[in-house]
Amino acid sequence: MTSNEARTSRPAAGPLSATTDQATPPHLLGNYAPVPDELTVTELPVTGAVPPELSGWYLRNGPNPHEAPSRHWFLGSGMVHGVRLDGGRATAYRNRWVRTSSFTDGAQMHGPDGRLDLTAGHANTHVVRHAGRTFALVEASYPYELDMRPGCELGTVGAYDFGGRLHTPMTAHPKTCPTTGELHFFGYGTVGAPPLTYHRADADGKLTVSRPVEVAAPTMMHDFQLTERHVVFLDLPMVFDLELAVSGATGLPFRWSPQEYGARLGVLRRDDPYGEVRWFEIEPCYVFHTVNAHEEDDRLVLHAMRYPDMSDGTLLAASATLWRWTADLAAGTVREEQLDDRAAEFPRIDDRLAGRNARFGHVTADADPVGRAGAALHRYDLRSGGATSHVFGPGRTPGEAVFVPADDSPGGAGWLMTFVHDAATDRSDLVILDADRLAEAPVATVHLPRRVPFGFHGSWLPDLG
């Protein structure tokens, strides 16, 4: 332990260590395995130069089982990893488990009396900020607010229900409208909760809209999209199966049902949030992550990472590729196009262009369903169809790349930030790339004190003025 490294608050039951037992599932081996404790380390070494105008935290969430092995990668306790950049330096690394009621008290989503406990969850999928609050998210429960005060960063404040107004889970993929500052999101339910509810919170964080959306059955709706005039839902054939849920099976309780359930896009006008949802039938598929959506006159254009088949049941064996759907709102038709045949996941854009005609989308390449393995980042030109890549080299695996603006012009210059695991050293770096010069060497590589296990999504949180 170095002089500036502090270990804090191991769980009472003791951490779970990685094992090489042949029976151990892949999501508990290698860089999927959890790290055993929490660190605070200051003044990190850097190769290259951290852009001096960057002051804030890069945060990324992911599963990190703390007491017993999780039966699926998606079900490990959430741990947020953060790197602070300030004045051209990397001044701190912190990692903290999210203290949900499941983590601290072993709470279950359905209690002994059958009641739904929306504080029970893993909070392991994303971390976002809205109206001055920072949330750790998972789609099966309430969001959990994190403490970002200096010296307290990544501590858990508690479950957040928007002042008692939220009565469903919250998606891990909310969308912020760059024009109104509103936060759009949804919640899907299985047992004891509505199958689908659309929500909207204003720029001050007040929940203003909650409306049920009729669907034929509860499905695993992981993501959705926003345009300047519409909200777009993806009603896809990963259908909740109660028999699987009560069977004790190791996978998730959803069944791939393309012929029975079908697939469709739902379009709701933002200026009529309680109005009709128009449904457009599409070819059966699954989408974990959308890229963006926008409108061109009476056409609605959606880019997403599409899986043609999810029959494996583990949700980890398929590959996604970039597709485009163009819905003609006047004619009531949809055109579907595959734009690339390279496997990729974890798409991100300049978030200031959410719902607008963003030119670039950034993805982690050579990936399985949730981007857990990859050797490159691609920058797609969504207008021309071209792509630029950054290849990290043998044994170096990037995660999701977050776009960080360099100026006040949406769609302008910026950087891509991602954690990269190096198999040769079993350590991780925060790598910063110039988005406009993606093929070039990194602008900066921040060397972390330990590996960061493969995880899901994150955000750049600049210091608030």
Side-chain angles (χ1 to χ4, degrees):
M1 183 181 299
T2 60
S3 60
N4 66 354
E5 181 176 320
R7 298 183 183 271
T8 63
S9 56
R10 293 190 183 194
L16 176 70
S17 298
T19 172
T20 57
D21 189 323
Q22 292 300 311
T24 302
H27 71 273
L28 296 173
L29 294 174
N31 198 44
Y32 304 108
V35 293
D37 53 11
E38 299 170 322
L39 302 181
T40 296
V41 180
T42 58
E43 297 303 333
L44 307 175
V46 176
T47 299
V50 174
E53 55 267 51
L54 292 177
S55 292
W57 282 90
Y58 171 74
L59 304 180
R60 203 227 59 199
N61 205 343
N64 198 89
H66 75 287
E67 183 174 301
S70 58
R71 69 179 189 271
H72 193 282
W73 190 36
F74 293 179
L75 301 179
S77 302
M79 175 178 276
V80 180
H81 300 258
V83 176
R84 174 154 183 84
L85 306 179
D86 192 5
R89 297 157 45 221
T91 60
Y93 164 82
R94 297 170 78 94
N95 66 306
R96 297 292 185 270
W97 272 289
V98 185
R99 265 65 176 180
T100 68
S101 63
S102 296
F103 182 98
T104 58
D105 305 320
Q108 301 294 316
M109 184 170 292
H110 294 92
D113 59 0
R115 293 185 182 180
L116 183 65
D117 183 357
L118 289 175
T119 71
H122 303 293
N124 67 10
T125 310
H126 204 350
V127 56
V128 303
R129 183 165 65 191
H130 181 67
R133 299 179 186 270
T134 301
F135 299 117
L137 302 175
V138 69
E139 63 202 57
S141 73
Y142 284 149
Y144 265 77
E145 185 177 359
L146 302 181
D147 191 342
M148 292 304 294
R149 293 175 300 166
C152 303
E153 292 94 346
L154 306 185
T156 302
V157 177
Y160 189 79
D161 64 1
F162 291 84
R165 293 183 173 89
L166 182 64
H167 302 292
T168 76
M170 178 178 176
T171 177
H173 290 285
K175 308 293 186 236
T176 300
C177 174
T179 302
T180 66
E182 294 170 318
L183 188 72
H184 296 251
F185 60 100
F186 67 90
Y188 74 80
T190 51
V191 177
L196 179 60
T197 305
Y198 164 61
H199 302 283
R200 188 186 303 179
D202 65 20
D204 295 323
K206 181 180 178 180
L207 194 64
T208 59
V209 172
S210 291
R211 65 146 295 180
V213 176
E214 276 196 40
V215 291
T219 64
M220 188 174 72
M221 187 180 295
H222 188 69
D223 199 359
F224 79 131
Q225 261 304 334
L226 189 72
T227 70
E228 292 181 304
R229 293 185 298 158
H230 295 92
V231 177
V232 185
F233 303 103
L234 294 91
D235 189 25
L236 306 175
M238 285 300 298
V239 182
F240 177 72
D241 188 316
L242 184 59
E243 290 185 6
L244 283 176
V246 301
S247 70
T250 57
L252 297 179
F254 293 89
R255 189 179 301 279
W256 175 244
S257 304
Q259 302 308 317
E260 301 88 342
Y261 196 81
R264 58 185 186 164
L265 304 178
V267 179
L268 172 67
R269 291 187 62 91
R270 285 177 53 179
D271 63 1
D272 188 14
Y274 295 93
E276 176 189 8
V277 178
R278 294 183 62 194
W279 295 102
F280 295 79
E281 300 292 327
I282 61 175
E283 288 297 313
C285 63
Y286 191 70
V287 171
F288 275 111
H289 303 120
T290 60
V291 183
N292 195 31
H294 70 276
E295 293 163 13
E296 298 174 354
D297 298 324
D298 286 331
R299 296 179 300 165
L300 189 152
V301 180
L302 169 69
H303 289 91
M305 308 309 296
R306 178 188 188 272
Y307 298 86
D309 186 292
M310 295 295 284
S311 57
D312 169 72
T314 67
L315 311 185
L316 298 174
S319 294
T321 55
L322 179 65
W323 280 62
R324 177 170 59 214
W325 289 263
T326 304
D328 188 322
L329 302 181
T333 59
V334 179
R335 185 172 74 252
E336 307 182 50
E337 307 166 85
Q338 183 174 355
L339 302 183
D340 196 7
D341 60 2
R342 290 175 289 186
E345 252 293 359
F346 282 167
R348 295 298 295 260
I349 63 165
D350 180 342
D351 289 334
R352 299 171 300 174
L353 293 173
R356 301 176 180 176
N357 190 4
R359 180 176 178 182
F360 297 109
H362 310 96
V363 301
T364 302
D366 190 21
D368 70 8
V370 281
R372 67 178 183 179
L377 297 179
H378 296 324
R379 175 175 167 93
Y380 285 119
D381 188 324
L382 300 175
R383 299 176 189 171
S384 73
T388 305
S389 301
H390 182 92
V391 178
F392 287 86
R396 289 182 61 79
T397 305
E400 175 191 69
V402 173
F403 183 87
V404 178
D407 54 39
D408 295 329
S409 175
W415 300 277
L416 294 172
M417 291 188 187
T418 180
F419 286 137
V420 177
H421 177 251
D422 191 321
T425 62
D426 199 28
R427 299 281 286 270
S428 296
D429 301 316
L430 173 63
V431 174
I432 304 174
L433 300 161
D434 186 326
D436 288 331
R437 297 175 174 83
L438 190 60
E440 297 181 4
V443 172
T445 300
V446 180
H447 303 289
L448 305 184
R450 59 139 40 108
R451 67 182 178 87
V452 174
F454 295 135
F456 300 138
H457 308 287
S459 295
W460 167 251
L461 303 185
D463 291 343
L464 296 173

